[in-house]
């Protein structure tokens, strides 16, 4: 698949997900009665663009196993709500203290800190409502998705990874950094791939395979982030660079340098390609996603 074709497909899915979330926040019973200021902050946090990589992985993994496309869109949107809530909270002064997100004021700047906290809380709980209300899926599949999302988004996953990042200093080892990255960033990306298998009713063996594939993409995503933060141009990246260095946080980019990390990214892509060989050309879109994550410029 040509990169241009892939990027067009990614953009199309991103728009579809954005339109779906826009409609949910306008008329879905899950948000009925929400105070307007809180609803505005939620919209600001989740409808501010982005690649929508996680829902894209859900949709494409479900497609690989001939899963329900509408169910995949709703589960992907739920995971995007979790991702967006994490960004709203990460931007807070108590966390990363960022004023801009994708070129726009962060939620706590556009509104206030208390509203931003509540908007994040509301997006998180909305995500579980979106999954549990999917009546087109069998109840066991819905329960499995809720459990998966709780683990990957919660203390053993994304939230725990953020805690490790807060506690981190300049003396972190490679093992400590890799564990933090796998939890903070990789858990939700891997969750997206695994969710696509669950909602499709595929086998446990395929679930394990796609979970591993998601783990590889998650690691590649964070390694690419380290490269962009250490060596990227802020104008191209679209956000401030050098933040980890300024905060005294050790990264793999600082430990090993650009060339070693680029070689590792190539190796991760090669491993992903080998893992998906049984699916042949049916997996080409997912493989292009792995390449895109590893070699992105922003």
């Amino acid at each position: 698949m040509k990169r241009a074709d892939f990027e067009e497909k990614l953009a199309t899915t991103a728009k579809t997900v954005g339109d779906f979330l826009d409609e949910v926040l306008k008329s879905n019973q899950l948000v009925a009665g929400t105070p307007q200021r809180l609803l505005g902050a939620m919209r600001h946090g989740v409808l501010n663009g982005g690649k929508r990589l996680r829902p894209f992985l859900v949709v494409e993994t479900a497609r690989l196993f001939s899963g329900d496309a509408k169910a995949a869109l709703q589960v992907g949107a739920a995971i995007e709500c979790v991702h967006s809530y994490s960004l709203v909270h990460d931007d807070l002064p108590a966390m990363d203290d960022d004023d801009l997100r994708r070129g726009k004021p962060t939620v706590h700047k556009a509104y206030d800190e208390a509203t931003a906290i509540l908007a994040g809380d509301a997006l998180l709980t909305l995500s579980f409502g979106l999954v549990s209300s999917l009546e087109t899926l069998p109840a066991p599949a819905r329960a499995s998705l809720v459990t998966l999302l709780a683990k990957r988004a919660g203390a053993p996953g994304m939230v725990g990874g953020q805690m490790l990042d807060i506690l981190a200093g300049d003396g972190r080892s490679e093992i400590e950094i890799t564990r933090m990255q796998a939890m903070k960033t990789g858990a939700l990306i891997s969750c997206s791939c695994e969710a696509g298998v669950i909602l499709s009713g595929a086998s446990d063996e395929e679930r394990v395979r796609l979970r591993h594939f998601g783990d590889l993409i998650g690691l590649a995503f964070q390694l690419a982030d380290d490269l962009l933060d250490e060596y990227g141009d802020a104008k191209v990246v679209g956000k401030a660079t050098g933040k980890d260095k300024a905060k005294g946080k050790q990264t793999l980019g600082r430990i090993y340098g650009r060339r070693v990390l680029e070689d590792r990214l190539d190796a991760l892509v090669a491993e992903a390609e080998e893992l998906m060989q049984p699916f042949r050309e049916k997996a080409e879109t997912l493989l292009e996603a792995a390449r895109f994550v590893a070699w992105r410029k922003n």
Side-chain angles (χ1 to χ4, degrees):
M1 173 179 283
K2 294 180 179 179
R3 173 57 64 89
D5 293 338
F6 171 80
E7 291 184 356
E8 182 179 354
K9 195 169 189 176
L10 181 64
T12 298
T13 300
K15 184 179 185 308
T16 302
V17 172
D19 290 346
F20 178 85
L21 287 168
D22 184 26
E23 191 61 34
V24 166
L25 292 171
K26 281 179 180 176
S27 59
N28 195 287
Q29 284 299 307
L30 291 168
V31 297
T34 304
Q36 284 303 307
R37 181 174 177 82
L38 176 58
L39 190 61
M42 292 168 67
R43 294 178 65 85
H44 189 91
V46 79
L47 298 178
N48 63 345
K51 299 180 181 67
R52 311 292 192 193
L53 174 66
R54 291 152 191 83
F56 181 82
L57 292 172
V58 177
V59 168
E60 290 302 322
T61 302
R63 193 193 310 275
L64 184 66
F65 297 103
S66 302
D68 186 319
K70 290 184 179 180
L73 174 62
Q74 188 156 326
V75 172
I79 294 176
E80 187 69 7
C81 284
V82 175
H83 175 58
S84 296
Y85 120 75
S86 74
L87 298 182
V88 171
H89 282 190
D90 281 357
D91 289 336
L92 288 166
M95 297 285 194
D96 292 344
D97 195 15
D98 282 321
D99 296 342
L100 294 175
R101 169 69 63 179
R102 296 168 185 149
K104 300 176 183 178
T106 50
V107 177
H108 73 276
K109 285 295 181 181
Y111 290 83
D112 55 71
E113 289 183 36
T115 302
I117 293 170
L118 294 175
D121 294 344
L123 288 170
L124 174 61
T125 50
L126 174 60
S127 70
F128 287 98
L130 287 172
V131 174
S132 62
S133 63
L134 249 174
E135 295 181 357
T136 57
L137 291 182
R142 277 180 278 158
S144 184
L145 286 166
V146 167
T147 301
L148 174 69
L149 190 55
K151 287 181 178 178
R152 299 302 179 82
M158 184 181 69
V159 174
Q162 178 67 13
M163 184 76 258
L164 292 177
D165 197 21
I166 290 171
L167 296 173
D170 194 49
R172 287 189 297 184
S173 67
E174 178 183 2
I175 293 175
E176 290 171 327
I177 294 171
T178 301
R179 180 190 176 206
M180 179 273 294
Q181 291 176 342
M183 292 170 67
K184 181 179 177 180
T185 303
L188 209 57
I189 291 176
S190 179
C191 173
S192 301
C193 294
E194 193 171 347
V197 182
I198 293 171
L199 68 87
S200 302
S203 68
D204 289 343
E205 180 183 354
E206 302 298 13
R207 181 174 174 178
V208 171
R209 182 182 296 275
L210 268 294
R211 180 193 304 154
H212 186 193
F213 177 77
D215 288 340
L216 295 173
I217 292 182
L219 179 54
F221 188 96
Q222 191 57 57
L223 291 182
D225 246 17
D226 283 355
L227 277 174
L228 292 172
D229 187 66
E230 191 75 20
Y231 304 104
D233 182 341
K235 293 181 180 178
V236 177
V237 175
K239 62 181 180 180
T241 57
K243 292 190 296 182
D244 286 338
K245 185 177 181 179
K247 293 178 180 179
K249 292 182 180 179
Q250 184 66 287
T251 67
L252 297 181
R254 293 176 64 192
I255 293 174
Y256 293 109
R258 186 171 194 164
R259 181 59 183 273
V260 171
L261 257 61
E262 288 175 345
D263 288 345
R264 286 192 177 195
L265 284 169
D266 288 342
L268 287 170
V269 170
E271 187 176 352
E273 290 172 342
E274 182 178 355
L275 187 67
M276 301 296 275
Q277 276 186 353
F279 304 112
R280 300 183 183 276
E281 66 277 358
K282 287 180 65 178
E284 185 54 33
T285 299
L286 284 170
L287 287 175
E288 192 58 37
R291 299 177 192 119
F292 173 80
V293 164
W295 302 325
R296 62 197 167 91
K297 301 300 180 184
N298 56 32

